[in-house]
Amino acid sequence: MPVKLRPITSCCAVAAALALAPAANAQTAAPAIDAPTTAATGARAAENAVRSAADAFGTSVGRESIGLYDPEGVRGFSPTAAGNVRIDGLYFDQVWELGARLQRTTQIRVGLSAFGSPFPAPTGIIDYGFRTPGDETALSLLAALNHWGNQSVEADANMPVSSALSLGLGAALYNDRNGNASRAQFLEYSVTARWQPAPDLEFVPFATRAQGNELKAPLFLPAGEGLPPRLPRRFFKGPAWARYDGTAFNGGFLTTWRPAAGWEVKGGLFHSRFDDNRNFTNLLVDLDAVGTGSQLILADPPLKFGSTSGELRLTRTISDGPRVHRIHASLRARAGDRRFGGSAEIDLGTTSLYELTTAPRPAYAFTAQQQDRVRQWTAGLAYEGRWEGIGELSVGLQKTHYRKRIGLPGEPPRSTNASPFLFNLTVAAELSARLALYGGYVTGLEESGIAPENAANRNEALPAIRTSQRDAGLRFALTDEIKFVAGLFDLRKPYFNLDAGGRFDALGDVINQGIETSIAGPVTPRLSVVAGAVLLRPRARGPNGGLGVGVGTRPVGAISRRLEFNADWRPVWTPGLSFDVSAAHRSAETATVSGLTAIPARTLVDLGTRYQFTISRRSATLRLQIENLTDVQSFELKGAGAYDLLPGRRFGGYLTVDL
C-alpha cells in the first residue's frame, strides 16, 4: 500500500469529510509474534498477520492487516484522531503515520489487551511495534504488482557495525493506479540505528521521509438525500492539473535505561510533520439521478503541520512471590504548529459523471491563511499489580494542561484551554485457569480534529473534548492456544458534524454502546483462525434532547454490526504452501446528517495463497491474492453526503526475499 502524505484528521472529520488479549498478564499482552523473523529490520519473508494475531480486534504485520478495528476506527471512533497513538508504548502525537519502513507490527489495544499500557484511553490505543535493528546482517527485497498496473518495490536492510551498534535502512517506491483511474507516485526512505553502549542502556534514533504526488479524483455529493448514481469504473473525472504534491517526515529516538534491578527508564522524543506544496480537492456537487452536477475544485496554498511530542517514564517493579507490582511515573508533552486555509474556489460549471474534464487551469488567488498552535503537557502516576492465579489491577491518575491558540485572518487570536484531571481503573479477576473477567472506566481529553473540506469553516481547528469509556467482559481459554474474548462497552464523546448552515461544529453528544467478541488461535497445527464480531448501538443526542433541524439521531458513519473471519491453512502435501481467506461483513452505514440515507450492507471476500521457499538457501515468499472476490459494487463514505467508489475486484501479488 502506498504512503499517503496527508495529515491525520478526526473520525468525525473523515466521516463528515466531506462533512481480549491472550491473557490478563500485562507482560503477555503483546501479540504472539515470531521475534526472529519479524523483529529485525531486514527480515520479512515470514510475515503473516493471521498467525501473529492474538485477537480479532486489529493486528498489522508488514503489508498485512486484519481485524474488526483499524487505526481510524475503533468502537465507532478514531483513536488516531483522538491522539491515542504509541510507539513501543510511548506517547506519539502523529501527524503523519509512522510508515511501513519503521513499523514491525501495529496492535489495537482494547479491553483486556489494554493491560500493559499504564495509561489507557477511551477509543483504545494504537501501539506501533518499532522495527528495531537487530544483531544479524539481513536484507529483504519485495516487489509487488496487480492487474490494474500498480507497482511497488521495497527494500529493508539490517547492518551490524559492531557489537554495540546496528543500522537499519529502508526504501520503497510506489506507482499506483486506483479504481477511479487516478494515479499516484510515492517515494519513502528511512534510517534507524540501535546503539547499546552498556548492557543496561539502549538508544534507537530514527528518521523517515516520504514525498509524492497524486491526481485528485473527485468526491461525489448528490443533491439532497440519496446515493449517487452508479459511478463509472476506471474513469478519471477531473482536470489533469488538480494534482497533490507534498512531503512528510517522522524522526526522533527511543531510549531504555535499566540503572538497577527493578528500575526502568523509557523515553521517546518524536517529530512528525507534513508539508503540502500543492493540494486540490475535487468535488462533483448537486449530482442528480442521471449523473449531472457541478464540478468544484478547491485549491490550497502551501500547508504545513508539525508536532514535536514525547514521553519520559520511570517504572519501578517489585516482585513479591506470586505478586508483581509496577509503579509508573510519566511526563508527556507535545507542541504542534499548523498553517492552513486560504483556499481558492474554482467553479468548472455543469458537467456529467461520464464526460472527461478538459478545462484548462484558470488563474486564481489565495487568501490569508490561519495559524494554530497547540501546547499540552500531561503528568501521571499509575499502578499495575498482578497476583498470579488471582487477577490484575491497573489504576492511574493524570493531570493535563491543554492550550490551543487560533490565529484567524484579520481577527485577534483566540484561545481555548482545558486542565482536567483524568483517571483510569481496570480490574481483572482470574476465576479459574481458563476464565478471567475484567471491567474498567477511563476518561480522556482528546483532539476533535479539523473541519472537513466541504464545510463552511473548512480546515478550521476544533477544540479539545472530554471523553469517557466504560467496558467489561471476559476471556475464556477454549484450549491452551485458542482464546475467546467477549466484552461490553459504552463510549461517550461530543458529536461534531455539519449543521444547517454548513458549519462543522459540535451538535451534541454521541454515545456508542456495543458488544464485541473475538476468537483466535491455531485450531490445528496447520489451521489458524481469527474471527470476531461487533454489534453497535450508536446514537446522538442534543444538549436538551434535540439535535436541531435536519439532524438525525444516528451519527454519520454509524453501523450496527461488523463481522470478520480470517483463516490460514497449510496443507500437508506441500511444505511451505498455505491458503487464506478473509470475509468481512458490515451493516448499512449512515451517510447523511439527517440519517435518511445509508450505504447498503455489504460483504467482502478476499482469497489468497502464499508459498514459502528458499532461493540459494535464502528465505522467500510468493504471495498472491484476489481482493473483493465477488466484485461487490458500492460506495465508500468520505463524509456527510460525500462518496467515493468502492474498489472492485483486484488480483495481485508480491515476492519477498530475505537475503
Side-chain angles (χ1 to χ4, degrees), residues 161 264 345 657:
V161 177
E264 181 182 72
E345 182 177 304
V657 181

Side-chain angles (χ1 to χ4, degrees), residues 162-205:
S162 68
S163 60
L165 177 64
S166 295
L167 298 179
L169 300 175
L173 178 63
Y174 304 95
N175 187 10
D176 285 355
R177 305 291 186 269
N178 301 314
N180 51 26
S182 65
R183 298 185 176 189
Q185 295 81 35
F186 294 93
L187 172 64
E188 177 192 9
Y189 44 93
S190 67
V191 58
T192 60
R194 180 181 61 85
W195 180 44
Q196 195 169 13
D200 54 9
L201 180 62
E202 180 181 85
F203 295 96
V204 182

